[in-house]
Amino acid sequence: MDLRAYTRQYAVQDNLLASLSYFGTFAVYFASLFLAIRYVDNWVIMLPAGVVFAFAAVRLYVLQHDCGHHSLFETRQQNEWAGHGLSPFTFAPFEVMKQNHNLHHSGIGNLEHRETGEINTMTVREWNAADWKTRVFYRLYRNPFILVPVGAAFTYFLRYRWPKNTLRFGWKGVVLHNLSIVLMLGLLYAVAGMTGIWVWLAFSFLGGMLGVFLVYLQHNFEDTYWDRRPDLDPQIAALQGSSALDFGWWFDLAVACITLHDIHHFNARIPSYRLRACHYNLPPEYAPRRIKFPEAVAALNLKLWDEDRKRLVPFPKPAHRPDVPQAS
């Protein structure tokens, strides 16, 4: 089977489906935020509403990502306008993030261009050659109890105010984007006061942590793919170097199928509302290995790329020193 020809039949945009996805997600976003604020003293309502809001925020981010590939709506202009419209709610300035993400796609699986990835990964050789300060920093950085919460707070609330390559891809858009966030928060304060701000902030942070967790899993799992040119194979890098997460159809719907990242990297023109059909209609001999939730959590223990074994591995255990007395 010609896999590229197969995926092209799903790389078809539909403005009706795109609009339902786009405006439907906004409706869930605002309705759940309203409920969380309105019933802030009633945890039975506030907490579920806040969780729904967090998932809706992630979904908006994924739809903006689709717009960056011009894969959500039918025309380039429609995707550009939709992407900019999402920016205040995703906290991601559209143009710069679009260009940075395109660099990520071009550098997927390339050990010589790891700067294009969202999560930094050292090789075993680099770890063995590193000094103690580098090792301590990297250990802290890859600790999931730091990576997920601190990574979410830093990335979405600080780093995206001036993302990498801002001067290269358009600082004016970033400034306007930041002003739009100030305006949005000002409107929220005018309507719901500081209660609204704190509820929005708390569950936006939850959405950010969910986003970081998913971004980590997209390329960090045991049998992912990294290599150096000229041996680097872009097709293998896309399919094997990107994960297919199997957390259930409801989870795919909640996060606009960003879980099916392998097919997306193989053909970024497939809109999110067609990714699940494309992925699950693959013939059995082409069906990828899907990662379920327990394996996904276990993948957080994988820290280094082993170039000899061609897999992601945990930190090496401290060498046993026979001259040091062992406790009885």
Side-chain angles (χ1 to χ4, degrees):
M1 183 183 73
D2 184 343
L3 192 57
R4 197 158 293 281
Y6 167 80
T7 60
R8 273 200 295 269
Q9 66 183 312
Y10 292 93
V12 179
Q13 287 69 45
D14 184 313
N15 274 355
L16 177 59
L17 292 176
S19 297
L20 287 172
S21 184
Y22 188 87
F23 295 108
T25 306
F26 264 121
V28 173
Y29 178 93
F30 286 117
S32 56
L33 180 61
F34 168 79
L35 287 173
I37 295 172
R38 173 67 178 79
Y39 295 98
V40 68
D41 295 324
N42 186 337
W43 290 78
V44 176
I45 298 177
M46 188 268 285
L47 279 178
V51 171
V52 171
F53 171 81
F55 271 94
V58 172
R59 200 175 202 279
L60 289 179
Y61 187 91
V62 177
L63 295 182
Q64 187 185 45
H65 154 268
D66 273 14
C67 291
H69 288 294
H70 298 149
S71 64
L72 187 66
F73 290 94
E74 293 175 5
T75 70
R76 179 186 181 92
Q77 186 178 47
Q78 288 167 347
N79 282 293
E80 290 285 313
W81 279 105
H84 285 292
L86 285 162
S87 285
F89 307 95
T90 63
F91 261 38
F94 178 64
E95 184 61 31
V96 174
M97 299 310 298
K98 175 183 74 175
Q99 299 293 350
N100 282 338
H101 189 68
N102 288 337
L103 291 176
H104 165 66
H105 270 252
S106 65
I108 181 69
N110 191 341
L111 280 171
E112 294 160 349
H113 285 287
R114 278 168 283 170
E115 77 282 355
T116 63
E118 287 88 353
I119 307 292
N120 180 45
T121 301
M122 289 179 69
T123 68
V124 172
R125 291 193 187 99
E126 290 167 345
W127 172 264
N128 289 334
D131 59 30
W132 70 270
K133 288 182 289 186
T134 302
R135 290 189 182 188
V136 168
F137 177 82
Y138 188 74
R139 275 188 180 275
L140 292 172
Y141 169 74
R142 295 287 294 216
N143 185 313
F145 296 103
I146 295 176
L147 178 69
V148 174
V150 176
F154 174 75
T155 300
Y156 295 106
F157 298 121
L158 297 176
R159 188 69 178 98
Y160 279 4
R161 306 289 59 77
W162 194 264
K164 64 181 180 181
N165 296 319
T166 289
L167 293 178
R168 177 181 175 187
F169 294 130
W171 64 269
K172 292 181 181 178
V174 173
V175 171
L176 290 174
H177 161 76
N178 289 331
L179 289 175
S180 72
I181 292 174
V182 173
L183 176 62
M184 181 195 72
L185 293 179
L187 289 173
L188 180 60
Y189 178 78
V191 172
M194 282 307 299
T195 298
I197 297 293
W198 284 117
V199 170
W200 172 88
L201 182 63
F203 289 110
S204 292
F205 179 53
L206 177 62
M209 288 195 292
L210 176 61
V212 170
F213 178 62
L214 290 173
V215 165
Y216 178 91
L217 294 177
Q218 286 168 0
H219 303 290
N220 288 268
F221 50 98
E222 187 174 14
D223 50 355
T224 186
Y225 176 90
W226 289 95
D227 213 335
R228 301 181 189 272
R229 295 191 184 279
D231 298 323
L232 178 70
D233 187 321
Q235 179 168 316
I236 295 177
L239 292 174
Q240 186 179 322
S242 306
S243 63
L245 305 178
D246 183 8
F247 295 172
W249 68 267
W250 64 272
F251 195 94
D252 288 347
L253 177 66
V255 298
C257 291
I258 200 64
T259 42
L260 307 175
H261 214 57
D262 53 346
I263 292 296
H264 165 69
H265 262 277
F266 187 76
N267 188 342
R269 288 287 293 164
I270 301 173
S272 54
Y273 45 81
R274 298 200 195 280
L275 265 176
R276 186 173 171 84
C278 179
H279 181 93
Y280 282 94
N281 286 333
L282 280 167
E285 63 270 22
Y286 285 94
R289 187 176 72 80
R290 301 184 182 105
I291 299 173
K292 293 189 177 293
F293 191 74
E295 183 183 352
V297 173
L300 292 169
N301 190 47
L302 303 175
K303 314 293 186 180
L304 303 167
W305 176 251
D306 190 322
E307 293 187 71
D308 297 324
R309 297 165 60 192
K310 301 294 184 184
R311 62 181 56 249
L312 209 62
V313 297
F315 286 123
K317 294 181 180 179
H320 173 65
R321 293 180 55 187
D323 57 315
V324 177
Q326 300 298 306
S328 58

